[in-house]
Amino acid sequence: MSKHTLQTEIEIKFSFPGLAEGEQEVAYPKVEITYDYSPGRKAYTPRGEYAPIDPPEPPEINFVSATLINGDGLEPSMQQIQELASDWLDDKGFDEACSNAEASSGPDTD
């Protein structure tokens, strides 16, 4: 696994007293996320065999930590930042994190 960081804005929708029912405000706090990346591997076919014997393994991302850079008017707690970043990395940010890791020229390795 190799360690990587990326900076991103995470969309947060929220409401507060005074907004009409169903209305939401949106903020985009900027965070720096640190994560571990394993590229996975293609299916493996031993020499002399015709069909892959070992199936492919997909890339793996493991959240390490997050730091708030700009709250965009919000003041989330450290726990909220960690949860938001981890959820983003597992969902919307997975492909971006994989691309970022693959584009790194000299990743730090564990």
Side-chain angles (χ1 to χ4, degrees):
M1 287 202 138
S2 55
K3 190 170 298 241
H4 301 272
T5 61
L6 66 80
Q7 291 185 4
T8 190
E9 293 179 338
I10 299 175
E11 180 181 73
I12 299 175
K13 294 181 181 180
F14 60 95
S15 61
F16 52 86
L19 282 180
E21 188 173 327
E23 281 189 24
Q24 291 186 321
E25 288 287 321
V26 179
Y28 296 91
K30 187 172 186 176
V31 296
E32 181 173 270
I33 301 172
T34 302
Y35 61 96
D36 291 325
Y37 172 76
S38 175
R41 66 171 174 77
K42 296 180 180 181
Y44 174 73
T45 305
R47 189 175 189 152
E49 297 291 330
Y50 294 103
I53 292 177
D54 291 336
E57 292 180 6
E60 238 180 84
I61 299 281
N62 294 313
F63 173 78
V64 174
S65 66
T67 305
L68 181 67
I69 295 172
N70 178 348
D72 192 26
L74 301 178
E75 296 179 12
S77 69
M78 184 58 83
Q79 180 180 355
Q80 289 171 320
I81 294 166
Q82 302 302 311
E83 289 172 4
L84 287 168
S86 178
D87 291 347
W88 179 86
L89 197 60
D90 288 341
D91 186 28
K92 295 179 182 175
F94 184 85
D95 291 338
E96 184 177 336
C98 288
S99 295
N100 177 66
E102 291 165 4
S104 294
S105 57
D108 299 326
T109 56
D110 291 336

